[in-house]
Every structure is written in structure tokens, then in C-alpha cells.
């Protein structure tokens, strides 16, 4: 009998890389286990691991508290009898919401409509209409197992010819896109964001990437825009968005708008969010647009519930039917994730019993994220050999670091990318886990890392980053 080996697996699977959960995350978990199992005798120069590698607000060690309204509705949906057993515990609007949802869904242990509960899709459509000022069709909305499932579905449908169909992705990018393209045997067509201009998007850069792909025999099928950006936190202005839409018209591209950080705005007065749905409708453009949103980000931070949605604009009924066929294979997205989406798009309103607490909790999270981002970027920018754009959105910073030549040589000798070598040394010295820029893509000879702005105790946290950088630079100078 032939054994199953890695070499006998699908080569597309073997080529998948996902840096956010890669070598650094695996080693961080090994450190975490060592700390737990060995007590005071762990032998590490730190007493806890700080997972700054992923935007996972409620994970242990970051401990962003969940929004009470979301958890109360979820609890009543999980066990409706709680309303009878503890009638004084739940606000009236929570009781009403849970009753309304239960009448629509029945038990959350049952499958729902494959596209998502129709009633919840209607509420998503209303949210989009209120945000953009244009109607939204619930039949063109798909509830998903987080936004990632929707992205994977669209890319799998768009790659029509292996290695010869491609998708334009921003560099730096969220590794989901390159990983999914690799899995689908599609080509990643990179276009670089402009770091000196606060990671802005250049239409000329996208156009050049299209021309190069065509010269290389690759057909560009879609353009990914992450707005606000991951890992950069950058926001596109409306003028650039309009140019992007017109470029997609010119080249018959599907526009994939990753907008999961749309409520993570740290300087909203100067850096507001505008959806691509609104821009497409303002321009009366025929561009096919798919827009993604999620309950994992924003202030909700319900990553583990796996809830999200995408909306299709300017897609034919035949294409929508093909999407439905594909999602029906997996039956339905998780019901608790769908409930989370309903809470995202229908938060408590002013005058309702839950509103004061909801407002207090969400304001506190927004304030903390904005303050941490500003503090961290200011202090990182004071370090020699470090420059960091003060992100106006999302949950991350993406500092650029200068790595000494001796460290680059040591990295090559160890078979590592220089920024991965730096990040591994940071983890071993401080317990802080970040993601090296080589996992997101960067220009030749440049080095970065991504870290979240979710960590409490920011002075201690940044102090460790500062000390390590100075020590590392001195060691290899």
C-alpha cells in the first residue's frame, strides 16, 4: 500500500501560504504551552505571550469585552427559556429582538436557508440602504461564515483558467487573498500601495500591473480593494474610489471591496469611510461589485462566531444563481454568526433600554483603539531605523524597519527572510508575536511587520518593542 505523503497531495494545497497563522504563531503557541506547563521554571525571558499577530479582539490576553447587547441576544437564541427563568435580567428590547428572531429562525440548531435567514438579509439590506442612500436587494445578499468564506467563494468562481486567470491584489495585502488564489491555481497580480503617501492607492500603479499581467499572458479578472486597509489602515478618498471604478469599467474587472473595517475609524473627521456601493451608484456605473463585511472586526470583535455577508451589485441573476448553487453545497452559515450579523446591522436605537450601555461600550472601544494607535505610532517613529504611518483606520500598524547588514546575513544563513528573522527574535526576547512584512508582500529590500493595536497596557507593550529594537540593532551593528 502506498502511504499518503505531502508530495502526493494536491500541488495547489502545497503552495498555500498564510503568514498570519504561520511559523511565528506556531512558535508563540509553543511558548505559551511552556509557560503554562512549567510554572516559574519556564526559563523564558517573559511571563506571557502577547498575540499581536492577528485582529482577534476577544482572545485571551487582549480581552476586549464583548458587547453586552450582542451576547444577551445570543444567549436567548441559544436557550429561549432563559427569558422565563430570568425575566428581570434582560432588557425589554433584547427580549423583543430574541423573540422576533426566534420566530423567523426557529431553533438555531437547525439549518437555515443556504443564503442566510431571509429576515436577517432584509435587515442587512436596510442597513446598506440607510448607509448609502440607495436601495439594496436582499436576494443579492449572502450571509457567510465570516467575510473570508465569501472572498474564497468569489475567487474560486472567478478563476476560469488555472495559472492564466488572475486577481489584482494590493501590496501589502491580507494573506487570505494570495492563499486563496494559490488554492484555486489563480495568479496573484500585485499592485503596490504608496507608503510615503500614507499607503495611498494609485490608479496608475494598478494600470501598470494590468499591463504587465497581460504581457505575461495572464487575464486580470478582478480587482481587490481593502478599505480601510489591512495591514496599513489606509482609507481611500472618494476621488480615488471613482477612478478605481472607472478603471474597472475600462478593463471589465469585477471589483471586490473588502470593507470589514468600515467602522474602525480613528480620525473620522479627516478620514471618513465611503462604501464602493455608494460610489458605483453615484457614478451610475455598470461595474460588477461584491462588497464584504464581518462581525469579527469593528467594535463587535466576534471572530469565533464566524459571521459576515457580501452584497452583489450589477451581477446578473444567472451569476447569483451560480453563487447560490455553490453556497448550498455547505448547507448554510452558522446560525449564531447570522444572529451576530443581525446585531451588527441593527444595534440598539436611542430611546431603547439597551442603548445607553451599548453606546458606552462601543465609545470606549473606539476611544481605546484610536488612542493606542496614535501612541504606538508616535513612539515607534521616534526609534532609529523605524518609520510608521499613523493608521487612520482598521486595527493595525505596519512599521517599516531598517535591518542591519549583519542581521540580514544571519537571516540568510538561517534560511529566513530578514523581517521574519527579526520577528522571531522579538518573540523569543519579549513574547510579542507579530507578522513579518514578507507575509504581506513588500518592495525588494524593504522590511516591515504588522502588529495590532488591540493590546492593553500599551506603555509596557511598546516599551518592550522599543527595547528589543535598540538591542537587536546594537547586536548586529
Amino acid at each position: 500500500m502506498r502511504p499518503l505523503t505531502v508530495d502526493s497531495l494536491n500541488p495547489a494545497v502545497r503552495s498555500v501560504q498564510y503568514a498570519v497563522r504561520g511559523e511565528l504563531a506556531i512558535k508563540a503557541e509553543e511558548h505559551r504551552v511552556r509557560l503554562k506547563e512549567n510554572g516559574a521554571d519556564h526559563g523564558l525571558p517573559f511571563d506571557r505571550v502577547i498575540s499581536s499577530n492577528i485582529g482577534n479582539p476577544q482572545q485571551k490576553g487582549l480581552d476586549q469585552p464583548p458587547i453586552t447587547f450582542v451576547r444577551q441576544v445570543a444567549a436567548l437564541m441559544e436557550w429561549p427559556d432563559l427569558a422565563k427563568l430570568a425575566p428581570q435580567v434582560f432588557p425589554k428590547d433584547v427580549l423583543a429582538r430574541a423573540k422576533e428572531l426566534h420566530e423567523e429562525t426557529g431553533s438555531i440548531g437547525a439549518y437555515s436557508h443556504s443564503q442566510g435567514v431571509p429576515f436577517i438579509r432584509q435587515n442587512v439590506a436596510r442597513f446598506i440602504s440607510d448607509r448609502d442612500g440607495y436601495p439594496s436587494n436582499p436576494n443579492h445578499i449572502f450571509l457567510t461564515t465570516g467575510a473570508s468564506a465569501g472572498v474564497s467563494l468569489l475567487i474560486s468562481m472567478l478563476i476560469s483558467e488555472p495559472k492564466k486567470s488572475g486577481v489584482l491584489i494590493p501590496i501589502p495585502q491580507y494573506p487570505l487573498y494570495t492563499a486563496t488564489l494559490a488554492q484555486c491555481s489563480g495568479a496573484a497580480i500585485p499592485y503596490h500601495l504608496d507608503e510615503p503617501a500614507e499607503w495611498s492607492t494609485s490608479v496608475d500603479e494598478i494600470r501598470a500591473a494590468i499591463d504587465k499581467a497581460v504581457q505575461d499572458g495572464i487575464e486580470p479578472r478582478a480587482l481587490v480593494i481593502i478599505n480601510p486597509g489591512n495591514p496599513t489602515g489606509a482609507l481611500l478618498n472618494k476621488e480615488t474610489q471613482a477612478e478605481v471604478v472607472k478603471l474597472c469599467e475600462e478593463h471589465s474587472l469585477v471589483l471586490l471591496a473588502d470593507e470589514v473595517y468600515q467602522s474602525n475609524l480613528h480620525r473620522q473627521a479627516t478620514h471618513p469611510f465611503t462604501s464602493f456601493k455608494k460610489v458605483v451608484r453615484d457614478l451610475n456605473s455598470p461595474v460588477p461589485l461584491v462588497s464584504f463585511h464581518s462581525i469579527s472586526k469593528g467594535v463587535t470583535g466576534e471572530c469565533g462566531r464566524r459571521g459576515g455577508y457580501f452584497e452583489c451589485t450589477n451581477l446578473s441573476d444567472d451569476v447569483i444563481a451560480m453563487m447560490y448553487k455553490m453556497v448550498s453545497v455547505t448547507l448554510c452559515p452558522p446560525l449564531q454568526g447570522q444572529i451576530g450579523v443581525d446585531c451588527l446591522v441593527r444595534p440598539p436605537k436611542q430611546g431603547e433600554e439597551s442603548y445607553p450601555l451599548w453606546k458606552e461600550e462601543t465609545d470606549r472601544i473606539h476611544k481605546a483603539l484610536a488612542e493606542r494607535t496614535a501612541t504606538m505610532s508616535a513612539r515607534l517613529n521616534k526609534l532609529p531605523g523605524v518609520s510608521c504611518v499613523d493608521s487612520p483606520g482598521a486595527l493595525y500598524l505596519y512599521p517599516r524597519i531598517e535591518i542591519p547588514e549583519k542581521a540580514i546575513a544571519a537571516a540568510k544563513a538561517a534560511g529566513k527572510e530578514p523581517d521574519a528573522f527579526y520577528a522571531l527574535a522579538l518573540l523569543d526576547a519579549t513574547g510579542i508575536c507579530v507578522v513579518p512584512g514578507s507575509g504581506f508582500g513588500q518592495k525588494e529590500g524593504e522590511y516591515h511587520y504588522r502588529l495590532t493595536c488591540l493590546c492593553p497596557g500599551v506603555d509596557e507593550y511598546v516599551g518592550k518593542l522599543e527595547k528589543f529594537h535598540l538591542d537587536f540593532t546594537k547586536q548586529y551593528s
Side-chain angles (χ1 to χ4, degrees):
M1 175 180 170
R2 287 195 305 270
L4 180 64
T5 65
V6 170
D7 289 340
S8 67
L9 299 178
N10 183 337
V13 172
R14 297 201 304 269
S15 68
V16 170
Q17 300 288 331
Y18 187 66
V20 173
R21 295 278 183 132
E23 180 184 14
L24 270 294
I26 293 169
K27 191 169 188 182
E29 187 58 30
E30 291 172 356
H31 285 332
R32 189 176 284 111
V33 171
R34 182 172 170 180
L35 288 168
K36 182 179 180 180
E37 293 183 349
N38 293 281
D41 298 325
H42 54 71
L44 295 170
F46 48 86
D47 57 10
R48 68 186 181 113
V49 172
I50 299 174
S51 297
S52 193
N53 59 306
I54 191 167
N56 187 18
Q58 294 183 34
Q59 69 179 305
K60 190 174 182 180
L62 302 184
D63 301 323
Q64 177 177 301
I67 302 300
T68 301
F69 174 79
V70 176
R71 288 301 180 87
Q72 287 177 331
V73 172
L76 289 173
M77 291 302 295
E78 198 72 42
W79 194 20
D81 283 353
L82 276 176
K84 300 174 185 175
L85 295 171
Q88 304 306 316
V89 170
F90 297 96
K92 293 182 178 62
D93 56 332
V94 169
L95 292 167
R97 174 69 62 87
K99 181 181 178 183
E100 180 182 44
L101 286 168
H102 192 264
E103 288 174 353
E104 295 290 338
T105 65
S107 169
I108 63 166
Y111 293 132
S112 75
H113 189 290
S114 292
Q115 203 169 329
V117 174
F119 176 71
I120 296 177
R121 285 189 281 119
Q122 291 167 12
N123 294 329
V124 172
R126 193 173 299 111
F127 163 80
I128 294 169
S129 298
D130 291 344
R131 183 194 65 192
D132 298 334
Y134 291 99
S136 174
N137 185 344
N139 294 324
H140 292 176
I141 292 168
F142 289 74
L143 304 186
T144 54
T145 307
S148 300
V151 169
S152 298
L153 170 68
L154 264 295
I155 289 178
S156 70
M157 294 180 67
L158 287 167
I159 300 303
S160 57
E161 191 172 357
K163 305 299 184 184
K164 293 187 178 181
S165 300
V167 175
L168 289 141
I169 58 172
I171 298 297
Q173 54 97 29
Y174 179 47
L176 165 68
Y177 291 97
T178 46
T180 306
L181 282 164
Q183 186 177 355
C184 297
S185 298
I189 307 171
Y191 66 92
H192 286 273
L193 304 179
D194 188 352
E195 184 172 7
E198 298 187 337
W199 294 113
S200 63
T201 298
S202 165
V203 171
D204 288 340
E205 172 72 19
I206 300 173
R207 194 182 300 278
I210 293 171
D211 291 343
K212 184 179 185 305
V214 172
Q215 290 171 11
D216 292 342
I218 298 169
E219 179 193 7
R221 300 297 310 279
L223 167 65
V224 172
I225 299 284
I226 308 174
N227 185 42
N230 177 8
T232 66
L235 281 126
L236 279 72
N237 59 42
K238 285 192 284 188
E239 292 75 19
T240 302
Q241 288 179 274
E243 291 178 15
V244 165
V245 170
K246 292 172 184 175
L247 182 71
C248 289
E249 285 186 26
E250 180 183 343
H251 292 276
S252 300
L253 298 172
V254 177
L255 179 54
L256 303 179
D258 182 337
E259 298 174 340
V260 302
Y261 297 99
Q262 62 185 262
S263 65
N264 290 121
L265 306 175
H266 311 320
R267 303 195 298 275
Q268 194 165 357
T270 56
H271 294 77
F273 168 78
T274 302
S275 75
F276 266 101
K277 167 73 175 291
K278 177 170 175 55
V279 174
V280 165
R281 288 298 188 227
D282 283 350
L283 294 172
N284 195 27
S285 170
V287 159
L289 166 68
V290 183
S291 308
F292 305 91
H293 200 8
S294 170
I295 67 172
S296 298
K297 311 306 176 186
V299 294
T300 308
E302 293 283 358
C303 302
R305 291 185 185 274
R306 310 309 300 134
Y309 72 80
F310 64 83
E311 181 197 27
C312 302
T313 303
N314 294 332
L315 269 67
S316 69
D317 289 341
D318 288 346
V319 172
I320 299 288
M322 290 294 289
M323 289 180 179
Y324 178 78
K325 178 183 73 173
M326 294 306 297
V327 299
S328 68
V329 173
T330 54
L331 299 175
C332 74
L335 265 291
Q336 274 290 16
Q338 296 188 54
I339 299 303
V341 170
D342 191 81
C343 293
L344 172 72
V345 301
R346 284 202 300 163
K349 296 178 181 178
Q350 194 162 4
E352 294 179 339
E353 191 175 349
S354 295
Y355 179 80
L357 179 58
W358 175 86
K359 184 75 164 59
E360 176 191 331
E361 291 174 338
T362 55
D363 283 353
R364 183 168 61 245
I365 294 170
H366 280 302
K367 184 172 183 288
L369 285 170
E371 289 177 350
R372 287 178 196 148
T373 302
T375 298
M376 290 166 63
S377 61
R379 288 179 59 174
L380 288 169
N381 274 317
K382 290 179 181 178
L383 282 172
V386 177
S387 62
C388 183
V389 174
D390 182 8
S391 299
L395 303 176
Y396 317 101
L397 289 172
Y398 195 62
R400 180 177 173 180
I401 52 175
E402 294 178 11
I403 296 180
E405 288 299 325
K406 287 184 179 179
I408 293 173
K412 289 180 179 177
K416 306 290 183 188
E417 291 291 335
D419 50 10
F421 182 79
Y422 179 100
L424 284 163
L426 172 66
L427 174 62
D428 288 340
T430 67
I432 297 174
C433 182
V434 299
V435 187
S438 48
F440 295 93
Q442 55 198 350
K443 292 181 179 178
E444 186 71 28
E446 292 186 357
Y447 308 108
H448 301 78
Y449 65 86
R450 188 192 78 169
L451 71 167
T452 73
C453 301
L454 295 165
C455 301
V458 68
D459 286 334
E460 177 190 3
Y461 171 54
V462 179
K464 290 182 177 182
L465 293 171
E466 291 168 332
K467 183 180 184 303
F468 169 79
H469 181 77
L470 294 172
D471 290 347
F472 181 90
T473 302
K474 182 178 179 180
Q475 178 183 352
Y476 288 100
S477 294

